[in-house]
Amino acid sequence: ERLLLTSAVEQAGEAIFIADHGGQFVYVNPAFEEQSGYSRSELAGRGAEILRNLEVPGEDFERLLEAAEGSGACSQRMNLVRRGGEPYIADVTLSPVRNDQGDLAAWVFVLRDVTREVEVQEQLHRAKTFETVGMLAQGIAHEVRNPLFAINLNMAAMEKLLGQQTAVKPFLGFIQEQVRKLDVLMKDLLELGQPLGKDEFTPTTLQAVLKDAARQAEGSADTHDRLILDLPPEPMPVRGVIGKLKLAFLHLFDNAFQNSPLEGRVYVRVEEDGASWVVRISDEGTGLAPEVRDRLFDPFVTTHEGHRGLGLTMVRHCLSAHQGTVTASDNAPQPGATFTVVLPKSTAAFQGRP
């Protein structure tokens, strides 16, 4: 029975370690070594301080110990960090082991890595949020565009009648500009709420998409020669709605320029990662604003006065429809930030120039 139990623990997929009543490590299974990044030899003779090194919040850990000692076993979800510094999330179950006299003899910890599970749940939540926002956006846009059209018609008539009057002209111009801004906003909302049909997806290369988006981004004098593309010569096949992909990268390029100094450059690098292409867009700005760091891709979030705050929302909406992702992080070392796009490779062969 002991041999069977030992084999079961050794081969378990979940990380298990046993510590004595004083917190000294007695045993760790191979899954714990793989999950934490520590080997058995490194853990020998060490105590519970290793949990501090894994950044288990002190108060959470103490609460877990107290609950387990009183109830016999308890569980808690914790944010941990592997030895190399990579954060992960684990469901930690702690059980006390008592001797025949009822005294505490050891602790058994079982850690289940739920990082991917949490990520999938967050992606599903975001997808539902986007679906709701998209439906709401389309409804609002349709309702508002009809009155806007009527206002435009009446403004045109008023301009013919009163446009030459010096006292009235500035007011007419102001109203026209505000109507134009509303019209652009409505177009963005309609775009956000528009689902992509699978029949719209066609094969292309990532080089073609990035080069076209770069040409548009560098259309003005203040951005010319500031966008540096570092693309491999071999075709990088992707499948998608080409216009939407170009627009997504154009938004990312524009965002990088807006957050860079006047002469700052934007660097675009592409690399292969298994079945995916990874595009990194780095600027030389001040980094991510702390007040919006966790809400960058939410609708109407912006740090720039006069901006609608929909560009990055549309980027994530588009990339999600292409089974892709987009994330943002500060550059280390500073200056600047990097937006990372991951897109799946296309399995369909592409014939043509990259």
Side-chain angles (χ1 to χ4, degrees):
E1 289 185 3
R2 285 189 178 184
L3 181 60
L4 182 62
L5 178 61
T6 301
S7 297
V9 173
E10 281 283 304
Q11 297 173 34
E14 294 172 337
I16 299 172
F17 75 85
I18 301 173
D20 63 22
H21 71 282
Q24 297 289 320
F25 277 93
V26 176
Y27 167 84
V28 299
N29 73 341
F32 181 81
E33 292 181 289
E34 182 179 353
Q35 187 179 109
S36 69
Y38 289 92
S39 66
R40 293 186 187 187
S41 60
E42 290 174 307
L43 294 172
R46 298 185 69 173
E49 75 273 3
I50 192 65
L51 294 174
R52 303 290 192 261
N53 292 343
L54 289 174
E55 292 190 3
V56 176
E59 63 277 10
D60 288 351
F61 178 61
E62 295 302 330
R63 251 196 318 268
L64 190 64
L65 287 177
E66 290 173 7
E69 194 166 1
S71 66
C74 64
S75 300
Q76 185 167 317
R77 181 160 291 181
M78 292 183 169
N79 294 311
L80 310 179
V81 178
R82 307 184 206 278
R83 183 183 177 188
E86 178 191 358
Y88 73 105
I89 303 169
D91 283 341
V92 181
T93 300
L94 173 61
S95 303
V97 179
R98 301 185 183 279
N99 59 25
D100 294 338
Q101 288 73 43
D103 298 325
L104 180 66
W107 297 100
V108 177
F109 290 80
V110 180
L111 288 75
R112 186 169 71 90
D113 188 343
V114 295
T115 308
R116 181 57 184 159
E117 179 182 318
V118 171
E119 288 175 352
V120 170
Q121 289 173 349
E122 290 176 350
Q123 287 172 3
L124 287 173
H125 175 71
R126 284 199 299 266
K128 289 179 181 177
T129 301
F130 271 125
E131 183 180 355
T132 303
V133 170
M135 292 172 61
L136 180 63
Q138 280 201 313
I140 292 173
H142 282 299
E143 289 297 321
V144 173
R145 290 195 85 183
N146 289 332
L148 276 180
F149 182 69
I151 292 171
N152 267 324
L153 287 178
N154 281 274
M155 282 298 305
M158 289 177 64
E159 192 171 23
K160 284 184 179 179
L161 291 172
L162 306 171
Q164 300 306 314
Q165 297 184 24
T166 307
V168 176
K169 198 169 184 177
F171 296 101
L172 291 176
F174 176 80
I175 295 172
Q176 287 172 331
E177 176 62 18
Q178 300 311 306
V179 169
R180 186 194 66 78
K181 288 181 178 180
L182 278 174
D183 191 49
V184 171
L185 176 60
M186 292 306 104
K187 287 178 181 176
D188 284 350
L189 288 174
L190 283 171
E191 180 81 22
L192 184 61
Q194 185 68 38
L196 302 184
K198 291 300 179 184
D199 56 340
E200 299 179 74
F201 282 60
T202 56
T204 184
T205 67
L206 201 49
Q207 286 102 325
V209 171
L210 291 170
K211 286 176 181 177
D212 282 354
R215 275 192 287 270
Q216 282 187 263
E218 287 196 303
S220 61
D222 62 338
T223 58
H224 188 63
D225 290 335
R226 290 173 53 201
L227 185 61
I228 313 300
L229 292 179
D230 182 8
L231 307 177
E234 302 80 13
M236 298 179 291
V238 293
R239 187 174 179 83
V241 183
I242 298 174
K244 303 292 187 185
L245 283 176
K246 288 179 185 177
L247 184 60
F249 282 108
L250 179 60
H251 279 306
L252 289 172
F253 295 161
D254 286 343
N255 179 74
F257 281 128
Q258 290 165 12
N259 290 284
S260 293
L262 187 59
E263 300 300 324
R265 292 188 171 188
V266 173
Y267 298 90
V268 182
R269 300 176 179 86
V270 184
E271 60 190 51
E272 186 177 3
D273 183 13
S276 303
W277 302 115
V278 180
V279 184
R280 304 187 197 280
I281 302 163
S282 303
D283 62 56
E284 297 178 332
T286 56
L288 304 176
E291 65 271 21
V292 299
R293 184 190 304 272
D294 297 328
R295 300 182 294 117
L296 273 176
F297 300 98
D298 291 349
F300 307 110
V301 173
T302 181
T303 57
H304 298 281
E305 188 175 349
H307 288 236
R308 298 181 298 280
L310 284 174
L312 293 179
T313 305
M314 293 168 69
V315 168
R316 188 163 70 177
H317 176 65
C318 171
L319 293 174
S320 294
H322 288 80
Q323 277 73 56
T325 61
V326 58
T327 56
S329 60
D330 283 318
N331 293 340
Q334 280 284 305
T338 294
F339 283 74
T340 302
V341 172
V342 179
L343 278 170
K345 295 177 181 178
S346 172
T347 55
F350 177 80
Q351 301 296 326
R353 300 173 63 182

